Amino acid sequence: MFRNAVITGACGGLGQSLARQLIAQGTHVALVGMNRTALQALADLAPERCRIYTPDVSDAHAMQTMASDWLTQHGAPDLVVANAGVAGGFDTTEAQDLAVMRRMLEINLLGVATTFQPFLGAMHSSGQSGALVGVASIAGWRGMPGNGAYCASKAGLIAYLQSLRAELRRSPITVHTINPGYLRTALTAGNTFAMPGLLEPDDAARALLQGVARGREHIVLPRHVGWLSRTLSLLPARWHDHILLGQPRKPRAGQAGATDIPGLTTPPTHHDR
């Protein structure tokens, strides 16, 4: 299906599932992530077809160095999946949380552009068809209380992918927006609120790859959660806000159940509320 793929966030739940499935199909895979041990376990499945890279995806120079090495070793990819992402609660009243928002935007939004940019020239020059895949979220469709940083990063990503798709319409390179609902990964492990349609990473990865191969530009995982979210959005904003305010909030950095945010050098301290 795909011969040459680059995956960021390859050590996370969805990223690992994507990598395993592509490796099983015989694809050459650039494994990009921060956990070398997890990446090595994947690379061991096909050492001759995999390479490990551990840059910060928001560091343009580091990403260009990574891309240069991969292009030299394996040539232009026909699939680039910008999957790296972080999540966490956010409270605008806390000055310390501004660092969380900045880091989240760097990884979730800027990190997608720094992932695509170094490969675009080579993909154009190859003359072959290729796919750029950005993993956004249905959280980017509407802001949710206590989750403003994450929602903003994913809403911005959706808009960026729309722009890039329009720019590449006359080329053989397609742009795909993936909007997952809830996946059973480390990013959702600390959630205490209801997660309708919770999907296993292997199932999500399979649907993602099949959808991209078929040329689907917008993929919601799973579909029925997208329908539910769209239906709720038809409610008056005041009603919708009231429903969301009744739900528990996602843990913020430093709180029990919070997920790690790489590069957050000064974790926030919080007041009890």
Side-chain angles (χ1 to χ4, degrees), residues 3 71 75-78 119-130 172-173:
R3 59 172 182 77
L71 291 169
D78 56 356
F119 292 105
L120 261 175
M123 293 173 75
H124 276 300
S125 298
S126 73
Q128 304 297 313
S129 60
I173 301 172

Side-chain angles (χ1 to χ4, degrees), residues 31 37 65 158 163 181 184 272:
L31 301 165
T37 300
T65 300
I158 291 170
S163 299
R184 195 185 300 278
D272 291 331

Side-chain angles (χ1 to χ4, degrees), residues 155-175:
L157 175 53
I158 291 170
Y160 166 67
L161 294 171
Q162 288 172 337
S163 299
L164 186 60
R165 183 178 300 114
E167 294 165 11
L168 297 176
R169 278 295 182 198
R170 295 179 181 175
S171 81
I173 301 172
T174 55
V175 177

Side-chain angles (χ1 to χ4, degrees), residues 3 26 28 57 65 75 88 98 147 234 244:
R3 59 172 182 77
H28 289 70
V57 295
T65 300
L98 295 176
N147 212 17
L234 297 176
L244 293 177

Side-chain angles (χ1 to χ4, degrees), residues 7-251:
I7 305 173
T8 66
C11 47
L14 178 59
Q16 286 198 44
S17 292
L18 288 168
R20 282 195 299 268
Q21 292 180 28
L22 287 166
I23 291 169
Q25 294 170 13
T27 307
H28 289 70
V29 184
L31 301 165
V32 185
M34 302 295 284
N35 185 333
R36 180 172 286 275
T37 300
L39 296 179
Q40 188 62 58
L42 292 169
D44 288 344
L45 298 174
E48 72 287 355
R49 290 189 280 112
C50 297
R51 257 175 117 74
I52 291 173
Y53 302 96
T54 57
D56 180 336
V57 295
S58 69
D59 183 334
H61 178 72
M63 293 298 285
Q64 288 162 359
T65 300
M66 174 275 295
S68 178
D69 181 77
W70 180 256
L71 291 169
T72 299
Q73 298 295 326
H74 296 282
D78 56 356
L79 175 67
V80 179
V81 183
N83 170 65
V86 292
F90 177 79
D91 188 342
T92 304
T93 64
E94 296 285 353
Q96 300 95 328
D97 277 19
L98 295 176
V100 173
M101 173 174 264
R102 180 179 298 107
R103 191 64 185 136
M104 208 171 292
L105 290 169
E106 288 175 347
I107 296 172
N108 294 358
L109 179 53
L110 176 62
V112 177
T114 59
T115 297
F116 292 161
Q117 186 277 323
F119 292 105
L120 261 175
M123 293 173 75
H124 276 300
S125 298
S126 73
Q128 304 297 313
S129 60
L132 302 176
V133 178
V135 179
S137 170
I138 61 172
W141 294 355
R142 190 188 195 284
M144 296 183 289
N147 212 17
Y150 183 74
C151 292
S153 70
K154 293 302 185 178
L157 175 53
I158 291 170
Y160 166 67
L161 294 171
Q162 288 172 337
S163 299
L164 186 60
R165 183 178 300 114
E167 294 165 11
L168 297 176
R169 278 295 182 198
R170 295 179 181 175
S171 81
I173 301 172
T174 55
V175 177
H176 306 262
T177 302
I178 313 302
N179 286 312
Y182 296 108
L183 306 184
R184 195 185 300 278
T185 69
L187 292 185
T188 60
N191 291 352
T192 57
F193 47 82
M195 294 185 286
L198 186 65
L199 192 63
E200 296 296 332
D202 284 348
D203 295 331
R206 190 174 303 108
L208 186 158
L209 293 173
Q210 290 175 350
V212 172
R214 292 169 183 166
R216 290 176 54 201
E217 295 179 342
H218 302 275
I219 300 172
V220 179
L221 304 171
R223 286 188 179 185
H224 70 273
V225 170
W227 297 335
L228 174 61
S229 181
R230 291 296 192 194
T231 299
L232 287 174
S233 70
L234 297 176
L235 293 173
R238 187 180 297 273
W239 295 5
H240 199 169
D241 292 344
H242 181 74
I243 293 171
L244 293 177
L245 283 169
Q247 299 297 312
R249 303 257 180 124
K250 190 170 184 66

